[in-house]
Amino acid sequence: MTARIYRPARNAMQSGKGKSKQWVLVHEPAVPRSIDPLMGYTSSSDMNQQVRLSFDTLEAAEAYAQRNGIPYSVQPAHEPTPKRVSYPDNFRADRKTPWTH
């Protein structure tokens, strides 16, 4: 039962950065999901898949995993590159694609 520690990316549908500053520890699935023959739902007997812990720092998440004897892997945080966008660039004469309506 290994765990994965990562920092989630920001929501692509919003401009805010909420819930993207904390580090998250999630357990990898130990058993595959099975399909319920009666209703067709997917289910699993592994209860650790439902656990999702949030930490303020990577060091706190690693300390928790080491303290509880959980093997873990860390995914490095991805910092997005800021894109410089300005409104007058839409009307420049040397645009790569012509401005049309």
Side-chain angles (χ1 to χ4, degrees):
M1 172 180 73
T2 61
R4 184 169 48 112
I5 299 174
Y6 68 97
R7 196 168 85 186
R10 71 173 185 87
N11 188 351
M13 301 303 291
Q14 296 176 352
S15 61
K17 296 179 182 174
K19 297 184 182 177
S20 65
K21 303 233 186 270
Q22 292 187 334
W23 290 85
V24 178
L25 183 138
V26 293
H27 293 276
E28 294 295 330
V31 294
R33 292 183 177 262
S34 61
I35 298 175
D36 182 47
L38 180 63
M39 297 297 290
Y41 299 144
T42 57
S43 63
S44 176
S45 60
D46 185 18
M47 299 303 284
N48 285 330
Q49 288 183 357
Q50 299 176 7
V51 177
R52 180 183 173 111
L53 301 173
S54 298
F55 298 93
D56 290 331
T57 62
L58 173 62
E59 291 79 19
E62 287 178 332
Y64 175 83
Q66 290 173 357
R67 188 171 54 244
N68 291 313
I70 301 170
Y72 64 93
S73 63
V74 177
Q75 290 182 341
H78 177 264
E79 295 295 331
T81 57
K83 295 167 184 64
R84 302 182 86 193
V85 179
S86 67
Y87 182 72
D89 288 342
N90 291 336
F91 305 102
R92 287 189 358 199
D94 61 343
R95 279 180 59 105
K96 292 182 179 162
T97 57
W99 177 261
T100 59
H101 290 284

